[in-house]
Amino acid sequence: MLLDCIIVGGGPAGLNASLVLGRARKNIILFDEDKPRNGVTHESHGFITRDGTTPSEFKRIGKQELAKYPTIAIKNEKVEDVKKENDSFLIHTEGGDVYRSKKIILATGLKDVLPNIKGIEEFYGKSLFSCPFCDGWEWKDQALAVITENERAFHLAKLVSNWSRNLVICTNGKKVLSNEEKEVLNNKQITIMEDRIAALQGNNGQLEKILFNNGKELLRNGGFVTADLVQATSLPEKLGCRFNAIGGIDTDDFGRTNIEGVYACGDNSLIAPAQLIIAASEGSRAAIGMMSEFVEEDF
Ligand SMILES: Cc1cc2nc3c(=O)[nH]c(=O)nc-3n(C[C@H](O)[C@H](O)[C@H](O)COP(=O)(O)OP(=O)(O)OC[C@H]3O[C@@H](n4cnc5c(N)ncnc54)[C@H](O)[C@@H]3O)c2cc1C
């Protein structure tokens, strides 16, 4: 059977793209390996009507809403490989099944690569976070650290200071702040520690202390880190998608990539702030963009 579209990735981007295409009477399958980027967190914030929902509940509601449309099938399975053959796409799943579709939407998300600091994974998503818009409110006025090894240090420090002025910037031995930037932060009573971090200490994901190689210790309740962002899957590369300067899949405003019939939306295009609601809206835009192509092909 030739499907109208296969959507890879069931985060907010893929769920919303599925909803719009399914309601437009296109026969689609949504494949989801169910490893969302925010899976490490207890609650997600900032999505109106869903503020404070767990990532798994968010996804459960999304899939339940899709289930009422006979045009949409959902498979909780990884897509292993995808190939363009003439005017259609051949999809191989991890379980060894093969599907064919006219078009494809990649809503595959990103993965966070955390700084190489002992113990950091234990705290990520529980008391260390990446985005103050997502988690700043819950940590307002707390003793926070910004742990960063890259040039985003200055921007993140200024941003996080909006939620707490009790802030220490830890660069883990890296010289990522200029003298001018240090002066600006010092003037706001924000401390900078450029010492190498030996380990993070705490209990059940709750950060308590940062230990430094030189024996110094810093008591902190939580904070924010800058992670490196990488594509969650090699499928865009396999299809020949072009990437932008910061590693996102290059798309136009409606999610079209350089490969005809291939659309991308959500975090993986790295063109907008990484937010659930923005990913969902990009999924909707990609589906609407694809529909105008379907309509043109019909006439
Ligand atoms: C710690 C943390 C906390 C966050 N908190 C918030 C918050 O509170 N509010 C907020 O708005 N944003 C938050 N975010 C950002 C948010 O998680 C992302 O912006 C959002 O998840 C992006 O949605 P997406 O659909 O593009 O990708 P994702 O949600 O990552 O979904 C991608 C899906 O595709 C699947 N997938 C990938 N490859 C394949 C494949 N080959 N086959 C099948 N399935 C595949 C994955 O398993 C996953 O389920 C947070 C991020 C992090 C890291």
Side-chain angles (χ1 to χ4, degrees), residues 186-231:
N186 284 332
N187 287 341
K188 296 280 184 189
Q189 282 76 53
I190 296 171
T191 310
I192 299 157
M193 291 183 75
E194 291 181 321
D195 317 78
R196 288 288 299 276
I197 298 173
L200 304 183
Q201 252 184 18
N203 266 311
N204 294 324
Q206 173 55 58
L207 182 69
E208 288 167 7
K209 214 185 258 183
I210 302 178
L211 308 174
F212 296 90
N213 279 1
N214 54 13
K216 287 185 194 167
E217 294 186 0
L218 174 71
L219 296 177
R220 293 285 99 181
N221 303 129
F224 291 85
V225 298
T226 53
D228 287 333
L229 302 174
V230 296
Q231 293 290 327

Side-chain angles (χ1 to χ4, degrees), residues 3 7-8 22 28 37 47 61-62 82 98 103 105 116 158 169 176-177 185 220-221 241 244 295:
L3 293 153
I7 297 172
V8 189
I28 64 168
R37 197 177 148 212
F47 195 124
I61 297 169
V82 54
V98 181
K103 300 186 194 298
I105 293 182
N116 186 14
K158 287 190 291 181
I169 315 306
V176 288
L177 290 162
L185 296 175
R220 293 285 99 181
N221 303 129
C241 292
N244 60 33
V295 169

Side-chain angles (χ1 to χ4, degrees), residues 15-126:
L15 289 167
N16 224 106
S18 301
L19 181 62
V20 173
L21 279 182
R23 287 177 50 79
R25 309 186 71 188
K26 294 296 152 198
N27 283 313
I28 64 168
I29 299 183
L30 168 66
F31 285 97
D32 186 32
E33 195 192 3
D34 198 14
K35 288 185 183 160
R37 197 177 148 212
N38 64 341
V40 289
T41 56
H42 295 309
E43 289 185 354
S44 44
H45 303 104
F47 195 124
I48 196 76
T49 77
R50 293 289 171 262
D51 192 44
T53 309
T54 62
S56 56
E57 176 65 359
F58 184 96
K59 192 172 276 212
R60 189 195 63 74
I61 297 169
K63 287 186 178 173
Q64 187 183 44
E65 286 181 355
L66 298 183
K68 66 180 186 231
Y69 294 96
T71 44
I72 305 172
I74 302 173
K75 297 200 182 285
N76 295 317
E77 199 180 350
K78 184 180 178 185
V79 170
E80 200 64 65
D81 197 20
V82 54
K83 272 192 198 76
K84 188 167 187 183
E85 272 190 5
N86 306 320
D87 286 337
S88 64
F89 296 90
L90 208 58
I91 273 110
H92 292 259
T93 70
E94 197 173 40
D97 295 322
V98 181
Y99 297 84
R100 195 178 277 280
S101 67
K102 293 179 193 167
K103 300 186 194 298
I104 185 162
I105 293 182
L106 298 171
T108 41
L110 295 172
K111 274 196 170 43
D112 294 53
V113 181
L114 297 173
N116 186 14
I117 296 171
K118 196 172 166 200
I120 198 163
E121 284 83 10
E122 183 191 335
F123 303 101
Y124 194 50
K126 298 187 182 70

Side-chain angles (χ1 to χ4, degrees), residues 267-280:
D267 274 10
N268 67 10
S269 51
L270 272 166
I271 48 174
Q275 294 282 281
L276 297 161
I277 201 156
I278 294 175

Side-chain angles (χ1 to χ4, degrees), residues 144-150 152-161 164-174 176-177 181-182 185-186 189-195 197 210 212 218 220 224 226:
L144 301 184
V146 164
I147 300 175
T148 174
E149 297 179 332
N150 63 38
R152 280 177 282 159
F154 186 55
H155 173 71
L156 188 61
K158 287 190 291 181
L159 193 58
V160 173
S161 76
S164 179
R165 286 292 170 103
N166 185 351
L167 191 57
V168 180
I169 315 306
C170 301
T171 68
N172 193 24
K174 305 284 187 311
V176 288
L177 290 162
E181 289 169 341
K182 285 181 187 172
L185 296 175
N186 284 332
Q189 282 76 53
I190 296 171
T191 310
I192 299 157
M193 291 183 75
E194 291 181 321
D195 317 78
I197 298 173
I210 302 178
F212 296 90
L218 174 71
R220 293 285 99 181
F224 291 85
T226 53

